[in-house]
Amino acid sequence: MSRCASFLLLACASGALAPASAGARTLDAGNVAWSFRDSVVGCPGGDSVSTAHPSRLRIVVAYLRDTSLPAAGVPPESIWVELGAATSNLRVNDQGPKIFADDSTDADGRARITLPSFSGCGTIEFSVSVSGTPVGAATASVRTTDADADGRATASEAPCDLDDSGSIGAGDSALVAPHLGHAHRHALFGTLVRRTNLCDSCDVAEEDAELSGVIGASTVSWSPDGRRLAFTIHTAPHGDCSVYIAHSDPRDGDDLMQFTFPDSGVHDYDPTWSPLGTEIAFGRADNTIWAKGVPGLAGDTTLRLVTRHNDATVAERGDLTPAFSPDGEWIAFTRHSAEGEHYHLWKTPADGDTTRGVQLTNEPTGDDFYPQWSPDGAWIVYDVVRNGKHGVYRVASSGGAAIPVLLPGGGLIASTPAYSPDGEALLLGVGDTTGSHTHVLDASASGLTLPSAIPVLHYPDQADSANDPILTPRLSPDGTRLALRTTQLFAARRNMSVPPRITRVAGQAIDHALPFVSLVRAAGAPFEITVEGSDPEDDPLTWHAYLLEPGMSFDAPSHTLSWTPPDSMLGRSVNVRFLVTTESGGCDYAIARIHVADAADVADAGRASRFGFASIGPNPLRTRATIAYTLPALARVRLEVFDVSGRRVRLLADAERPAGTHAVEWDGRDARGRRVAAGIYVCRLSAGASRAESKIVVVR
């Protein structure tokens, strides 16, 4: 490194690298100079979903090898900041020993270093180094909205980090700068990062779907591991809407994957990712709900029909806006009323057994859309449209009276609500009827009857907010990131703490892309399931278990579930959702899929040397059956169903699985989603050179 290098340090520079601003304090240490403002303000650190955002210190470095030659291409690991002592109650979130530059220096020799967010108020010492050589140190004053430094700003705190005008509206344009050239740190530390590069008004002749089209009026859904986002793109040249998948973090790439391929003139909307990770459900042509396996995570990626509106006279807008329940067992959706022109909420088993569909709302006026489940599965919050105005209601997932949550006045509308994954907050979009200005709002989930809500982000949305959903804010499954959509897709860090992790359930390791374990337990025999996990920052953990069957008990201190399945459960399967949370809002979940079998079958399945089927039940199959099998060692497994002529009817599994007993459900449908005819079918299990077969009878 040349000793004639020059550095310029700015606090809170957003978007393009900016020169020193008026009022900045300049220090000179020999041939190194930098500038920054005290009382760092306006940085969206994203440490809380309340009031505003704790500050982040963003430092711009201008590196010149001499007075005229920029040092371009200096790698980010050669430029870093180290933080020193902090005064008062100022706390640095996620502080590592070194905070490296976001990217290599650009053609002008500039790079940016984004420090973690802060909580509390006080001063912080920091130093800058390049290629291992210290180039200077300084002390900056920092004020945050989290005045008591407890990791979560609340409405009762006197905020100490608003912008210079005393409100949080200024600088909105900087929040939406694309930042596509900056990688991991921006996606994880607060700046809204554009995850798509679609044109806002497209030439219909443009055929590149990654450059043409805009985000459709659709919700956004996270994958269970938080690595990907599903959403809708309205593409050129035909103007069709398809479901796409994007990476939530730029370090995983900026490429888009088209997930659905509807016929011309048919639109796919509102994807919802199963909490099991295996498939995505979506609405097609505003009339049917379909599901499809996710490539790379599900062995079967063919389309299957979940539900179709039962009124043949309704050509479109029949069944739409689906949402998976937190255990993956149910899908809530909107159905056009057969008796009138309104839309009501329903729920149906995710396997497509429409005979068990349940109507949840039946208000004589208004329309119900965009259902979202609470983490415990007890409630569904949704968007109600009455007289052209959007408001937010909730209803018990078992049905009952609709309860108003937020009905904003003064020309505002509220829409597309969703719970935080820990159930402690509710996010929704609020805007005026002109579509010129919208907000992401947050409200305490306690009671969920609100006179108002707390603004989190002011965000310009060019969509027609009077008719389209606003922003559809959705928090990632670990509670740390926020995704929203306007004409583009964006993601941002909401919580600076590293989330906890569930590592094992009943001794089985958890793959967060497929966060479930399959267990077989004997009817009439007591058993326990212990969940294991930890927090990287040693924060205290709180354990929960949701969607429990009668007779189940969960001991939170030991995070152990106990149950003696009654004989009436023989042949049935249940999903239990385990959740671990921290006070900072981080969380993680895993699902235990428990199949109850005959004691003799379970004893056979427990033999470590056995390969083959443990149980199939109920058999005969009327609507669905659980097929349990045992592996003596880690292996890639294929589970297929054939008819008596040898024609393959369905591929149920094609994935690597560890040693132990696993279970897969078959809904009695073929690869195209059609119910198979009554008769005898053969289940074939293959793993390497090993193969086993068992018969299953389907009755209608």
Side-chain angles (χ1 to χ4, degrees):
M1 179 195 109
S2 169
R3 293 298 297 167
C4 295
S6 175
F7 290 86
L8 176 66
L9 282 74
L10 297 179
C12 210
S14 297
L17 303 184
S21 54
R25 204 151 52 92
T26 301
L27 294 93
D28 188 6
N31 56 4
V32 177
W34 65 95
S35 299
F36 65 97
R37 282 181 180 272
D38 276 349
S39 301
V40 178
V41 295
C43 293
D47 209 4
S48 169
V49 289
S50 295
T51 59
H53 297 280
S55 285
R56 252 178 334 124
L57 188 61
R58 187 177 295 156
I59 301 169
V60 176
V61 176
Y63 180 18
L64 304 179
R65 299 193 185 277
D66 54 35
T67 57
S68 60
L69 180 63
V74 177
E77 60 266 26
S78 295
I79 304 173
W80 68 79
V81 164
E82 296 175 271
L83 298 179
T87 65
S88 301
N89 68 346
L90 185 66
R91 188 184 70 191
V92 182
N93 300 306
D94 290 357
Q95 179 181 355
K98 296 177 181 178
I99 299 98
F100 294 97
D102 300 336
D103 295 301
S104 300
T105 54
D106 62 16
D108 295 325
R110 298 193 176 201
R112 182 164 53 185
I113 308 172
T114 308
L115 276 62
S117 79
F118 303 95
S119 296
C121 306
T123 62
I124 184 74
E125 297 176 359
F126 63 92
S127 61
V128 179
S129 297
V130 174
S131 298
T133 302
V135 297
T139 299
S141 297
V142 178
R143 301 176 296 139
T144 81
T145 51
D146 183 12
D148 60 4
D150 65 355
R152 182 184 289 271
T154 64
S156 61
E157 291 184 60
C160 60
D161 183 25
L162 301 181
D163 63 32
D164 295 333
S165 66
S167 66
I168 60 174
D172 286 349
S173 60
L175 295 181
V176 299
H179 296 309
L180 288 178
H182 297 284
H184 176 57
R185 188 169 297 281
H186 287 291
L188 296 186
F189 289 88
T191 300
L192 281 171
V193 182
R194 194 166 78 178
R195 301 307 305 122
T196 57
N197 192 28
L198 309 173
C199 67
D200 294 341
S201 59
C202 301
D203 182 347
V204 295
E206 176 62 65
E207 296 186 5
D208 185 353
E210 291 192 13
L211 299 177
S212 64
V214 297
I215 302 299
S218 169
T219 52
V220 177
S221 183
W222 291 85
S223 64
D225 60 3
R227 301 278 303 269
R228 291 184 283 179
L229 293 160
F231 58 101
T232 293
I233 292 180
H234 186 263
T235 58
H238 304 297
D240 300 327
C241 290
S242 303
V243 175
Y244 278 73
I245 296 174
H247 299 291
S248 62
D249 190 332
R251 67 176 173 174
D252 292 328
D254 294 322
D255 56 301
L256 303 178
M257 182 185 79
Q258 187 171 354
F259 180 73
T260 68
F261 300 85
D263 294 335
S264 179
V266 176
H267 302 296
D268 293 341
Y269 297 108
D270 302 304
T272 173
W273 210 304
S274 167
L276 301 174
T278 53
E279 63 180 2
I280 295 172
F282 58 93
R284 169 161 286 182
D286 287 345
N287 189 44
T288 53
I289 306 297
W290 294 79
K292 178 184 176 184
V294 180
L297 297 178
D300 188 353
T301 59
T302 56
L303 280 171
R304 66 178 182 88
L305 182 67
V306 177
T307 181
R308 180 189 302 276
H309 193 273
N310 55 14
D311 182 356
T313 66
V314 179
E316 58 181 23
R317 292 196 174 275
D319 292 350
L320 62 161
T321 64
F324 270 106
S325 65
D327 62 351
E329 286 283 278
W330 293 85
I331 292 178
F333 63 99
T334 293
R335 169 164 284 178
H336 186 277
S337 170
E339 296 79 26
E341 293 300 319
H342 294 295
Y343 303 87
H344 305 305
L345 294 191
W346 287 67
K347 70 174 184 179
T348 190
D351 63 9
D353 181 6
T354 56
T355 63
R356 297 169 60 206
V358 178
Q359 186 171 349
L360 299 175
T361 65
N362 192 23
E363 294 298 312
T365 62
D367 300 303
D368 305 333
F369 297 102
Y370 300 103
Q372 291 288 306
W373 299 70
S374 61
D376 61 3
W379 293 95
I380 296 175
V381 65
Y382 58 98
D383 185 336
V384 173
V385 183
R386 293 184 178 175
N387 300 318
K389 297 276 288 184
H390 291 252
V392 175
Y393 279 67
R394 65 171 176 151
V395 67
S397 60
S398 56
I403 302 172
V405 175
L406 181 63
L407 304 173
L412 294 178
I413 56 177
S415 73
T416 57
Y419 287 85
S420 63
D422 60 5
E424 293 297 320
L426 183 74
L427 264 71
L428 56 146
V430 167
D432 59 35
T433 55
T434 66
S436 61
H437 191 70
T438 59
H439 317 283
V440 176
L441 295 187
D442 160 57
S444 169
S446 177
L448 280 184
T449 301
L450 309 166
S452 62
I454 303 167
V456 180
L457 286 177
H458 286 218
Y459 192 87
D461 184 3
Q462 303 305 314
D464 181 358
S465 299
N467 299 305
D468 289 343
I470 306 171
L471 299 179
T472 64
R474 299 289 184 261
L475 288 175
S476 60
D478 64 9
T480 65
R481 281 169 290 167
L482 173 70
L484 49 86
R485 69 105 193 128
T486 171
T487 51
Q488 303 286 349
L489 181 70
F490 288 80
R493 185 76 169 181
R494 166 248 181 178
N495 187 301
M496 299 310 301
S497 294
V498 179
R501 276 307 212 197
I502 293 177
T503 54
R504 304 180 75 83
V505 175
Q508 293 190 33
I510 291 296
D511 175 359
H512 284 82
L514 300 169
F516 66 91
V517 298
S518 298
L519 308 171
V520 179
R521 296 295 185 264
F527 69 88
E528 293 183 342
I529 296 175
T530 298
V531 190
E532 303 171 51
S534 61
D535 184 79
E537 300 173 331
D538 295 323
D539 289 339
L541 301 179
T542 302
W543 293 88
H544 315 262
Y546 295 136
L547 302 155
L548 304 183
E549 289 290 317
M552 285 184 177
S553 63
F554 181 70
D555 181 65
S558 65
H559 25 102
T560 299
L561 176 80
S562 302
W563 191 34
T564 302
D567 291 339
S568 60
M569 292 292 296
L570 187 64
R572 290 182 54 192
S573 297
V574 297
N575 285 3
V576 175
R577 180 184 175 100
F578 297 104
L579 184 73
V580 61
T581 62
T582 62
E583 291 183 356
S584 64
C587 51
D588 194 20
Y589 78 90
I591 294 172
R593 309 180 70 184
I594 307 169
H595 176 63
V596 181
D598 182 83
D601 291 335
V602 175
D604 287 342
R607 298 175 185 173
S609 60
R610 181 184 175 93
F611 168 87
F613 291 97
S615 65
I616 298 179
N619 193 0
L621 174 155
R622 284 182 169 79
T623 58
R624 59 178 177 173
T626 300
I627 304 168
Y629 60 90
T630 302
L631 299 176
L634 175 71
R636 185 167 188 87
V637 174
R638 287 178 64 88
L639 179 59
E640 303 162 284
V641 179
F642 295 85
D643 62 18
V644 291
S645 69
R647 180 181 63 90
R648 191 175 80 176
V649 174
R650 184 81 175 267
L651 174 65
L652 297 178
D654 184 11
E656 191 175 78
R657 290 290 179 261
T661 302
H662 308 273
V664 176
E665 289 188 352
W666 183 37
D667 58 5
R669 296 177 184 270
D670 64 15
R672 297 178 62 182
R674 303 170 300 188
R675 291 191 177 276
V676 301
I680 298 175
Y681 293 83
V682 176
C683 299
R684 179 179 299 166
L685 178 70
S686 305
S690 300
R691 194 169 88 170
E693 292 185 349
S694 185
K695 294 180 180 179
I696 183 170
V697 178
V698 175
V699 296
R700 296 300 185 201

